[in-house]
């Protein structure tokens, strides 16, 4: 069954700490895409990154980095030197297709609180 | 850049009332969809469309209708609102209808709907 698991429901850190958000997925497909979205307190969903199943290179964007490991079916997200503005709910999602429907399978999200 | 625009942002309805959530995108995206977000349930797909004149059901379509008369617009209609439809609704779009394209799905800012 296709599934995305974000085992950490809530994380609380103090500003400047590093924090890693875990994402583990299950899929039968050999070609798929993984996403991370951020949902700040204002409520909108903000795209952070997309990774396809053939590209296992880690990616770094400023304080954000992503570690994709097919061997463990994980796509973890690390925030370095966290800031209060990073407080949000973070969602991991898996994209696959059934017919015409590009279905996104969502994790339940990890709520990150960064305290001053 | 307008992106995906949803209206209204907030709405309170009485049980049995009908209403339409509007969604428009200016990116010439073929694929549009509606999700609802509920605590502990993540995001669930209501309906989707792969192009003008084509719509289909997602995971939780009951109580909702959609139509796609133009590429730009994808309204979601609640025919007879029920308290169980109290939720946050997100409209989303992406460039391609094709499978495994991995194109990023962009979301509107969300519509908070309360049915009393």
């Amino acid at each position: 069954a296709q599934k995305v698991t974000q085992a950490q429901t809530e994380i609380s850190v103090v500003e400047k700490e590093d924090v890693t958000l875990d994402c583990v997925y299950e899929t039968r497909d050999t070609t798929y895409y993984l996403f991370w979205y951020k949902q700040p307190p204002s409520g909108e969903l903000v795209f952070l990154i997309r990774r396809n199943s053939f590209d296992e290179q880690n990616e770094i964007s400023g304080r954000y980095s992503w570690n994709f490991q097919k061997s463990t079916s994980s796509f973890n997200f690390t925030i370095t030197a966290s800031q209060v503005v990073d407080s949000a709910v973070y969602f991991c999602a898996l994209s696959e297709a059934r017919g015409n429907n590009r279905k996104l399978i969502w994790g339940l999200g990890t709520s990150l609180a960064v305290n001053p | 850049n307008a992106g995906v625009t949803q209206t209204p942002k907030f709405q309170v309805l009485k049980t049995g009332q009908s209403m339409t959530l509007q969604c428009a995108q200016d990116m010439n995206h073929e694929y549009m969809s509606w999700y609802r977000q509920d605590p502990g349930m993540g995001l669930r797909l209501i309906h989707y469309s792969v192009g003008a004149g084509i719509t289909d059901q997602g995971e939780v379509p009951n109580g909702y209708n959609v139509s796609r008369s133009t590429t730009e617009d994808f309204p979601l209609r609640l025919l007879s609102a029920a308290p169980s439809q109290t939720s946050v609704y997100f409209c989303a779009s992406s460039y391609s209808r094709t499978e495994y394209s991995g194109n990023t799905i962009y979301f509107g800012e969300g519509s908070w709907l309360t049915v009393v």
Side-chain angles (χ1 to χ4, degrees):
Chain A
Q2 292 70 42
K3 188 177 176 181
V4 174
T5 302
Q6 294 180 255
Q8 304 146 309
T9 305
E10 295 180 357
I11 300 176
S12 182
V13 300
V14 176
E15 207 169 16
K16 297 184 184 177
E17 282 187 37
D18 298 347
V19 57
T20 295
L21 310 181
D22 297 332
C23 174
V24 174
Y25 62 92
E26 297 175 27
T27 180
R28 298 168 294 183
D29 298 324
T30 56
T31 303
Y32 52 89
Y33 291 81
L34 294 162
F35 298 82
W36 276 95
Y37 284 85
K38 174 182 179 180
Q39 187 173 39
S42 51
E44 71 271 25
L45 282 161
V46 179
F47 165 75
L48 293 178
I49 190 171
R50 176 188 70 210
R51 173 68 71 219
N52 76 57
S53 53
F54 297 108
D55 183 0
E56 287 195 68
Q57 278 192 325
N58 291 334
E59 178 144 347
I60 298 174
S61 177
R63 297 184 295 106
Y64 295 172
S65 62
W66 290 268
N67 182 2
F68 176 35
Q69 292 195 334
K70 286 181 74 171
S71 61
T72 56
S73 296
S74 65
F75 186 42
N76 296 338
F77 173 32
T78 297
I79 302 174
T80 303
S82 59
Q83 300 176 2
V84 173
V85 294
D86 296 325
S87 297
V89 180
Y90 291 87
F91 291 94
C92 180
L94 167 70
S95 175
E96 56 174 42
R98 289 294 179 264
N100 274 330
N101 183 14
R102 283 193 57 238
K103 183 175 179 175
L104 268 182
I105 298 167
W106 294 84
L108 293 183
T110 297
S111 178
L112 173 66
V114 181
N115 303 299
Chain B
N1 293 335
V4 180
T5 304
Q6 283 181 239
T7 57
K9 194 168 178 68
F10 300 98
Q11 183 73 49
V12 179
L13 283 179
K14 293 183 179 178
T15 297
Q17 285 186 318
S18 63
M19 77 157 296
T20 299
L21 297 176
Q22 301 291 345
C23 177
Q25 52 89 11
D26 62 358
M27 298 175 280
N28 201 30
H29 284 173
E30 292 181 300
Y31 183 89
M32 296 186 73
S33 56
W34 278 100
Y35 287 85
R36 60 177 288 173
Q37 184 179 29
D38 303 290
M41 306 285 289
L43 285 101
R44 293 181 292 170
L45 183 65
I46 305 172
H47 285 285
Y48 67 96
S49 168
V50 297
I54 306 169
T55 64
D56 208 343
Q57 297 181 348
E59 299 173 69
V60 289
N62 292 341
Y64 306 96
N65 273 358
V66 292
S67 60
R68 185 94 179 269
S69 56
T70 66
T71 299
E72 294 77 21
D73 300 301
F74 190 46
L76 177 72
R77 282 182 286 278
L78 282 72
L79 304 175
S80 177
S84 61
Q85 294 178 304
T86 294
S87 187
V88 183
Y89 292 85
F90 288 95
C91 181
S93 74
S94 72
Y95 174 65
S96 174
R97 68 171 75 180
T98 59
E99 301 176 1
Y100 298 123
S101 63
N103 286 305
T104 300
I105 295 181
Y106 295 94
F107 289 85
E109 293 187 339
S111 296
W112 276 251
L113 177 64
T114 302
V115 182
V116 297

